[in-house]
Amino acid sequence: MINILVLYFDFVSSNLINFLVSSKYSFFVNQILSLDILNFSNIKFDLALLFLPKQSNIDFVPVLMALLICAKPVIVLDPSQNHKNKATSRDSGAVAYFSYPVSIDLIDKAILKILSSFETLFYADLKINTKLCTAYRNNINLKLRKKEFDILTLFLRFPNKVLTKEFI
């Protein structure tokens, strides 16, 4: 079962509600009421859907960063169709961005494609399977602690990018 974390500020479409009810996925839905406490590490999820607020004056980047710290893919859905939000989402590390209205089938296909690509990461002679939590270098199994594995996975998800201490 694929576990999806759904976060929203002020709006969730009725299409999404129907998708959640009739879906093959397991969902954990949470409204963001405050930007003060953003810790998602205690929630087991494979992918996050972040619904941006209708009002463009709310900064969603802290939420996106808190999700990315968990080294899981994030899909951003935006009711405002704001090009700045799209650029910010992509620059911050979201793997996909959709503006409303968007078909549920398109979201479903994106989820499956993203999860299949996120399962195995490669860099030079390094191979990581995020589902099995295994890492190999030159086909030799690396014995990594959870934190080491998570940090290595984070670096492989953002190759050639400088990650701040706060982000890591």
Side-chain angles (χ1 to χ4, degrees):
M1 179 66 74
I2 296 171
N3 299 305
I4 298 179
L5 174 61
V6 177
L7 296 172
Y8 68 98
F9 288 87
D10 57 0
F11 174 77
V12 177
S13 72
S14 58
N15 285 347
L16 177 73
I17 299 300
N18 292 335
F19 178 60
L20 298 177
V21 171
S22 65
S23 179
K24 57 187 171 265
Y25 307 116
S26 170
F27 288 92
F28 177 79
V29 180
N30 192 15
Q31 183 175 13
I32 300 167
L33 300 172
S34 169
L35 296 178
D36 296 333
I37 303 171
L38 294 173
N39 183 356
F40 304 109
S41 60
N42 59 340
I43 301 171
K44 184 182 183 302
F45 67 98
D46 301 303
L47 178 137
L49 294 176
L50 175 59
F51 285 81
L52 299 187
K54 286 183 178 180
Q55 305 150 348
S56 59
N57 62 339
I58 298 175
D59 185 13
F60 65 92
V61 174
V63 178
L64 185 56
M65 291 297 140
L67 287 168
L68 292 170
I69 286 172
C70 299
K72 303 293 183 185
V74 179
I75 297 175
V76 174
L77 296 119
D78 184 6
S80 70
Q81 300 182 1
N82 183 330
H83 293 292
K84 183 180 175 190
N85 286 350
K86 182 176 184 176
T88 302
S89 298
R90 291 284 169 100
D91 292 345
S92 300
V95 295
Y97 172 93
F98 296 103
S99 57
Y100 298 175
V102 61
S103 78
I104 296 302
D105 289 338
L106 187 61
I107 294 174
D108 189 36
K109 287 177 185 174
I111 289 170
L112 293 174
K113 183 177 179 182
I114 289 165
L115 287 177
S116 66
S117 68
F118 261 71
E119 202 166 301
T120 304
L121 303 170
F122 298 94
Y123 185 81
D125 59 350
L126 190 61
K127 176 182 167 184
I128 291 183
N129 185 310
T130 57
K131 285 286 188 199
L132 301 175
C133 294
T134 56
Y136 293 89
R137 184 166 187 200
N138 291 326
N139 294 324
I140 298 171
N141 188 9
L142 303 174
K143 306 235 187 289
L144 301 174
R145 293 185 202 103
K146 180 175 178 3
K147 188 60 111 179
E148 293 169 331
F149 181 83
D150 290 345
I151 291 172
L152 184 59
T153 301
L154 187 65
F155 284 133
L156 287 180
R157 288 202 196 280
F158 299 97
N160 303 318
K161 290 200 177 202
V162 177
L163 304 179
T164 64
K165 179 181 175 182
E166 294 78 23
F167 182 78
I168 295 171

